[in-house]
Amino acid sequence: MYMPRMFRRLSAKPRVTLLSAALPLFFICLLLSGCKKEKPAGENANSETGQTAVVTEPKTDSATAAAAVINEQSSGVKAVSDSAGILADNTARVLAGMKAIDTAGVKPGKGKILLANWKRFSAKSESTWRTFSSRHLEKVSAWSKEAMPDVQAATDTLFYPFSGPDFVHAATFFPNAKVIYMFGLEPVGMQPDLSHPDSARMRGTYGAIDNSLHEILNLSFFVTKEMLKDFRSNDLHGNLTVLTLFLVRTGHTIHTMRFVQPDSSGILQTVAPANDKMASNHGVEITFSGSDGQARTLYYFSVDLADRYLVKNKAFIKYMASIPAGHTTYLKSASYLLHYDTFRRMRKTVLDKSRYVFQDDTGVPLSYFSGGKYGNWEPTFYGNYTKPIPVFKLQPEKDLAAIYAGDSLEKPAPLPFFIGYGHRKESNLQIYRRKP
């Protein structure tokens, strides 16, 4: 992967002198004598967010490096960046309109055009994100802290099937999550290579980003058909561009990134980026941090979770089985897939392994939370519900409609924001807490 000039010095070999050759022997002796001396780490300060990430030499064994980062996460050690993570973070900030495109090495005339195009894109991006934050994200954040502080505090692991690249709501509803699992049909793809920017190609990339973000920023969800078209285009290069854009836009710093795929035992292995835009089980593992600098991990996999595909997908079944139980499951704008028996396996996984389920009416039907077959649950309801939107041609859940009508219980409290398919007139959210 190409490393921009501004970062090459981080991986450059140091000049060897007599003093530099002797230093390692000194520190070995110091360690053997039982003395402990902390060595100041190099730092990569992020001017946009005020965050600081420790920078180390790139590791040759990415699997070992990733495992070390995950171990650090549980022990509270600050996140460590590698060259791939630095490049991914830098690229994401350019494509989020937060950091100017590097025109070094580009002819002056073309460089001016590139920069002018980026400035127009950046101004529009800043305005759009500012509006989205004030009208939506700030309300979501405030409501979440008041409505489910216990769920937020207990959510170390977030399980988000049918997510697409919607990191933004995952991070806003669950800002304390240390590990996030996301799954979608959309390919992982790659970030655009900005090492040799071309004005025409970059205009296409900016336009594709605008198009892909329209739904999530205006509707609060991605339209699956549009996503599949947008994220398989040559301008957007898959899901990763938007996923990393959301990471930096929500105040996070990317530290490491590797492409992964579960082997026959369900153990993640480092793989090359998939050229096939339909590659199943292909994933990305990203370590990132927020303002506290603590390492967190995000996984996104391109996978079909329907029973007819999942039953044949032994590697991914074993991988999902390795995800510890007791997590929080988040389901939003999930196309009512878990209402159908064609998604029985995923529905059972959610009910068997979740401590909390946070969803709208497109998630698991209310009837599965009663009767005790899948445990005992305490539900809380918010917003409004009457029936699924017409495009899905589903009958309304009568028991859920009765609750929202206030027939048997106090009418659910309203939501101060719109979310999901009812983004224009009615939205609902449900919290299911598993009883001991």
Side-chain angles (χ1 to χ4, degrees), residues 223-241:
V223 178
T224 302
K225 289 183 179 179
E226 295 300 321
M227 269 198 300
L228 291 173
K229 181 178 69 175
D230 290 341
F231 296 151
R232 287 174 182 154
S233 72
N234 292 327
D235 288 320
L236 209 51
H237 307 276
N239 224 358
L240 192 56
T241 296

Side-chain angles (χ1 to χ4, degrees), residues 320-373:
M320 283 205 303
S322 71
I323 298 174
H327 53 249
T328 296
T329 293
Y330 177 35
L331 298 162
K332 177 180 70 67
S333 305
S335 300
Y336 298 93
L337 295 176
L338 299 185
H339 287 231
Y340 297 95
D341 283 342
T342 49
F343 284 82
R344 190 179 301 170
R345 279 178 171 267
M346 181 51 58
R347 185 173 62 215
K348 189 175 187 302
T349 296
V350 169
L351 292 166
D352 285 347
K353 300 189 72 171
S354 302
R355 180 181 178 187
Y356 304 99
V357 177
F358 178 61
Q359 64 174 35
D360 59 17
D361 62 295
T362 69
V364 178
L366 174 61
S367 58
Y368 287 93
F369 291 99
S370 58
K373 181 178 180 180

Side-chain angles (χ1 to χ4, degrees), residues 124-368:
K124 182 178 179 180
S125 298
E126 287 290 340
S127 175
T128 300
W129 192 263
R130 195 181 307 116
T131 300
F132 178 60
S133 295
S134 62
R135 291 183 180 178
H136 183 69
L137 290 185
E138 290 175 9
K139 294 177 181 179
V140 169
S141 178
W143 178 87
S144 303
K145 291 175 183 177
E146 183 177 345
M148 53 178 190
D150 58 326
V151 182
Q152 284 191 334
T155 301
D156 285 333
T157 300
L158 183 66
F159 187 71
Y160 189 4
F162 317 112
S163 63
D166 182 27
F167 176 82
V168 64
H169 283 102
T172 306
F173 279 119
F174 302 101
N176 301 320
K178 295 182 177 65
V179 183
I180 301 175
Y181 296 93
M182 298 171 63
F183 311 101
L185 288 175
E186 304 75 34
V188 176
M190 297 176 63
Q191 291 177 305
D193 181 3
L194 303 185
S195 59
H196 299 90
D198 172 80
S199 58
R201 182 168 57 84
M202 290 310 302
R203 281 198 304 271
T205 300
Y206 298 150
I209 290 173
D210 285 340
N211 290 338
S212 66
L213 295 184
H214 173 78
E215 285 86 9
I216 192 68
L217 299 183
N218 289 278
L219 310 180
S220 83
F221 62 91
F222 286 100
V223 178
T224 302
K225 289 183 179 179
E226 295 300 321
M227 269 198 300
L228 291 173
K229 181 178 69 175
D230 290 341
F231 296 151
R232 287 174 182 154
S233 72
N234 292 327
D235 288 320
L236 209 51
H237 307 276
N239 224 358
L240 192 56
T241 296
V242 173
L243 194 61
T244 53
L245 185 155
F246 281 154
L247 272 159
V248 298
R249 269 294 179 188
T250 50
H252 297 93
T253 298
I254 298 168
H255 296 289
T256 72
M257 185 173 76
R258 66 170 181 145
F259 296 97
V260 294
Q261 197 167 29
D263 63 17
S264 59
S265 300
I267 298 172
L268 292 185
Q269 302 295 334
T270 302
V271 296
N275 293 323
D276 181 1
K277 294 180 180 180
M278 295 292 290
S280 180
N281 289 6
H282 195 76
V284 63
E285 176 192 85
I286 299 172
T287 58
F288 66 98
S289 68
S291 57
D292 60 0
Q294 301 300 312
R296 302 171 189 270
T297 310
L298 166 67
Y299 297 94
Y300 173 82
F301 288 91
S302 176
V303 61
D304 195 322
L305 299 174
D307 284 357
R308 62 175 177 160
Y309 297 108
L310 203 55
V311 71
K312 302 174 186 177
N313 196 345
K314 304 298 184 183
F316 204 78
I317 288 175
K318 289 181 180 180
Y319 173 68
M320 283 205 303
S322 71
I323 298 174
H327 53 249
T328 296
T329 293
Y330 177 35
L331 298 162
K332 177 180 70 67
S333 305
S335 300
Y336 298 93
L337 295 176
L338 299 185
H339 287 231
Y340 297 95
D341 283 342
T342 49
F343 284 82
R344 190 179 301 170
R345 279 178 171 267
M346 181 51 58
R347 185 173 62 215
K348 189 175 187 302
T349 296
V350 169
L351 292 166
D352 285 347
K353 300 189 72 171
S354 302
R355 180 181 178 187
Y356 304 99
V357 177
F358 178 61
Q359 64 174 35
D360 59 17
D361 62 295
T362 69
V364 178
L366 174 61
S367 58
Y368 287 93

